[in-house]
Amino acid sequence: MIVYVQAADSAGKRRAVFGMTRTGKSSTVKKIIQSCVGMSNNAHLTLDKSQGMPEQVLKLLTEDN
């Protein structure tokens, strides 16, 4: 089974990966983390942590205006 997940859909959210032994859970999590790191490295803006918690800033960026 192949499942496509957008890294941006998982940013700032909690996820769980369940499965039986030897089904690729660790490999899947590794790929998700690599995508999130790549997305972060390609970001045009950097987060100014002195202006608030990252969760608050992420909420502002993802709200529909």
Side-chain angles (χ1 to χ4, degrees), residues 10-54:
S10 293
K13 297 182 179 143
R14 295 181 180 163
R15 298 285 185 238
V17 178
F18 299 99
M20 295 177 65
T21 303
R22 310 272 317 147
T23 57
K25 296 179 297 293
S26 295
S27 297
T28 300
V29 171
K30 176 182 172 183
K31 290 296 183 181
I32 292 170
I33 292 171
Q34 285 175 338
S35 295
C36 289
V37 168
M39 184 175 64
S40 178
N41 290 339
N42 293 329
H44 299 286
L45 303 173
T46 57
L47 180 61
D48 182 0
K49 294 180 182 176
S50 68
Q51 298 298 317
M53 298 297 296

